[in-house]
Amino acid sequence: MVNNSDHTDDEEIMASWYAYAADEPGFVGYWLGLLRERQSVTADEQANEFGTDEVVFHRLQAMPLPREQALARDAHRIAECCHLKNPIAFVQAMILARSLELGADRPAVQEFYQAAFDEEELE
């Protein structure tokens, strides 16, 4: 006999995990958040673009990020796993988010190199 309260507890635990992971670096939700901020769209608009509902969108955001060396392939597998109706939009979003993240890291790298050149000029 199945106890419905156990099922509800499991759903609450998973919902809690999805909410936590969605905001953490290393998970899809982190990159999607970067895109939402940059594109000025809501989570609902993003979910609609990928062709999914709110429940699946929460699960999607808790997925680990695609590997850098297999970004498009991994993103497509994630989209398939979550049964997104528009997997190509998700793959494109992951590629764009990775580019944005690399761009965000670039100024720090440029400052490091500039500091190294400034130090050489002082010698």
Side-chain angles (χ1 to χ4, degrees), residues 24-89:
E24 293 296 311
F27 292 92
V28 166
Y30 184 77
W31 277 8
L32 292 179
L34 292 175
L35 281 178
R36 284 193 299 272
E37 185 177 306
R38 188 64 170 281
Q39 297 173 333
S40 299
V41 298
T42 66
D44 287 339
E45 290 170 325
Q46 210 171 44
N48 287 337
E49 180 183 354
F50 302 149
T52 191
D53 61 24
E54 183 179 349
V55 173
V56 174
F57 189 66
H58 287 297
R59 179 176 174 232
L60 172 68
Q61 292 185 95
M63 294 288 202
L65 284 174
R67 297 169 297 171
E68 189 171 334
Q69 68 273 19
L71 182 66
R73 187 175 11 160
D74 284 359
H76 196 267
R77 287 181 181 154
I78 291 168
E80 286 178 340
C81 178
C82 292
H83 306 289
L84 302 183
K85 292 179 183 148
N86 191 357
I88 299 303

